[in-house]
Amino acid sequence: MRDINTAKANIETIGFLDIDIDVNIDLFAAIEKLKKQKNAVVLAHYYQEPDIQDVADFIGDSLGLAQQAEKTKADIIVFAGVHFMAETAKILNPEKKVLLPDLKAGCSLSDSAPPALFKLFKDKYPDHIVITYINCSAGMKALSDIICTSSNAEKIIESLPKEQKIIFAPDKNLGAFLNKKTGRNMLLWNGACMVHEIFSLEKITKLKIRHPKAKVIAHPECEEVVLRVADYIGSTTGLLKYSLDNEASEFIVVTETGILHQMQKNSPHKTFIPAPPNNSCACNDCPHMKLNTLEKLYLCMEYETPEITMDEDLIIAAKKPIERMLAISKQYGL
Ligand code: 13P
Ligand code: SF4
């Protein structure tokens, strides 16, 4: 076994605790034990690998996870998701320890909006309100008026007067979808998610021909050409609910494949077909989300590292627009 202090010191370089685990350990049981011992809660996004979803206390979309983080009584929040999600949990709970199994679990969409560049853009439009998708850094949140997720974006936009000028960042696809839905003309930042941008319309069309009764369900981070062929568009929670409630027995799922685990669990008799990307892969995994593993989850709980740490002023500035989002969501019963 590697020396624990050396391993901890290496986290900044490699992102996670790189120490050997006894192969005889039952990781599920060990994680359950650590949860009780440390009063820790494990929050997992639907895009996490199935084992992590199965051991989590709460599985959800970005809004559900932020809401759980806000109300948890646990001392330690273990976030099985990507960095911006764990950072949001820390902003809402500055006094708690927030752990992320792999610190390098980032997000291409978040990376597409560097705060310094965004500030230059925003300063050109002083009469605009900034609504920012939660998939962004704390620095971006601090420059925003209201945060939103794919579950509540429409309601958040509609809570503002029709004539209010708005900048929407960082996802241009979600922004374009929302402009169409709400009839607004929000100024869009030119960012996108590497996972949702590469779905192949041609392959989805071929799948539809082979499965004529299948419903196409898509996440609004997809490009407009793909969304045009969808029977339903929604957040991961929305897609899951639709697949449960709809009477169809086949679904072509146009989002990250992790969500198929819960879909299949909730509707074991239905068939879920992951939509293929425009490369040689059959399905579409988020390389950032999938950096977390059950082993890394166990190690981060055992050694309480890697931990999310943040500057106090940044926490205060980033918290305001998140709280505004949570308050509006509550108002609409979301
Ligand atoms: P939701 O969890 O809001 O559906 O967003 C999906 C996503 O891309 C998270 O990274
Ligand atoms: Fe970011 Fe896209 Fe991965 Fe979600 S799926 S974490 S938006 S890169």
Side-chain angles (χ1 to χ4, degrees):
M1 173 170 319
R2 223 153 298 180
D3 165 57
I4 179 65
N5 290 323
T6 316
K8 277 186 178 177
N10 278 341
I11 281 182
E12 270 188 31
T13 330
I14 58 168
F16 58 93
L17 261 188
D18 181 25
I19 57 178
D20 302 326
I21 301 177
D22 180 347
V23 287
N24 296 311
I25 291 185
D26 173 348
L27 290 176
F28 290 93
I31 289 170
E32 287 305 334
K33 198 168 153 199
L34 286 169
K35 280 189 207 172
K36 288 193 189 86
Q37 246 175 35
K38 301 185 181 222
N39 188 25
V41 67
V42 177
L43 306 182
H45 190 268
Y46 290 124
Y47 294 164
Q48 292 294 284
E49 62 174 44
D51 282 351
I52 292 182
Q53 293 189 37
D54 289 346
V55 86
D57 297 296
F58 179 84
I59 319 156
D61 67 356
S62 306
L63 177 62
L65 291 166
Q67 288 167 329
Q68 288 295 321
E70 190 197 25
K71 66 181 183 202
T72 185
K73 298 268 185 292
D75 295 316
I76 299 180
I77 300 172
V78 188
F79 217 111
V82 289
H83 194 275
F84 76 80
M85 295 177 171
E87 201 173 54
T88 303
K90 182 68 183 175
I91 293 165
L92 291 168
N93 297 279
E95 74 297 343
K96 291 190 201 285
K97 190 173 262 187
V98 178
L99 305 172
L100 180 64
D102 189 325
L103 220 43
K104 292 229 160 99
C107 168
S108 63
L109 182 51
S110 175
D111 291 346
S112 66
L117 273 187
F118 182 74
K119 180 156 187 335
L120 294 176
F121 174 74
K122 170 188 146 130
D123 286 350
K124 284 198 240 160
Y125 304 99
D127 55 346
H128 284 56
I129 271 192
V130 178
I131 301 182
T132 308
Y133 193 34
I134 199 164
N135 300 34
C136 66
S137 63
M140 273 294 284
K141 289 185 174 80
L143 292 169
S144 309
D145 296 295
I146 320 178
I147 299 303
C148 72
T149 75
S150 50
S151 286
N152 60 18
E154 210 179 314
K155 288 275 184 277
I156 285 183
I157 293 164
E158 280 168 357
S159 74
L160 300 174
K162 269 257 174 269
E163 59 286 356
Q164 175 63 55
K165 292 177 181 162
I166 303 171
I167 292 175
F168 186 85
D171 190 350
K172 62 176 179 191
N173 293 320
L174 176 63
F177 168 73
L178 291 165
N179 268 344
K180 215 166 146 189
K181 270 230 121 166
T182 61
R184 307 270 176 144
N185 188 21
M186 300 187 293
L187 272 183
L188 307 181
W189 180 260
N190 188 18
C193 156
M194 63 187 284
V195 178
H196 289 88
E197 264 219 323
I198 62 162
F199 283 109
S200 159
L201 178 61
E202 191 188 332
K203 290 182 188 172
I204 293 171
T205 308
K206 281 184 184 158
L207 271 179
K208 261 170 76 92
I209 294 167
R210 268 195 277 140
H211 303 270
K213 291 195 175 143
K215 295 282 182 199
V216 177
I217 58 177
H219 196 281
E221 286 174 25
C222 295
E223 288 182 323
E224 208 215 330
V225 281
V226 168
L227 295 180
R228 246 185 264 150
V229 300
D231 296 292
Y232 175 78
I233 299 165
S235 71
T236 43
T237 296
L239 299 177
L240 184 61
K241 197 169 170 331
Y242 182 88
S243 72
L244 185 65
D245 296 344
N246 193 277
E247 61 198 14
S249 60
E250 283 186 309
F251 297 85
I252 297 167
V253 184
V254 199
T255 190
E256 212 270 357
T257 45
I259 187 74
L260 268 72
H261 182 57
Q262 293 305 319
M263 287 178 172
Q264 202 66 76
K265 260 179 126 169
N266 287 354
S267 310
H269 54 287
K270 295 185 181 178
T271 304
F272 297 99
I273 307 157
N278 57 15
N279 56 32
S280 53
C281 301
C283 56
N284 207 357
D285 276 335
C286 170
H288 307 290
M289 285 278 181
K290 295 301 192 307
L291 280 179
N292 295 325
T293 61
L294 197 64
E295 288 78 9
K296 288 181 194 170
L297 180 66
Y298 163 73
L299 284 172
C300 93
M301 291 179 75
E302 170 74 16
Y303 297 102
E304 299 184 22
T305 192
E307 185 183 350
I308 303 288
T309 54
M310 289 177 72
D311 178 79
E312 222 172 284
D313 292 340
L314 184 56
I315 290 185
I316 294 167
K319 196 171 187 171
K320 257 200 219 156
I322 301 175
E323 285 182 334
R324 214 168 152 190
M325 166 187 85
L326 292 171
I328 298 172
S329 301
K330 209 178 223 171
Q331 225 173 292
Y332 284 97
L334 297 169

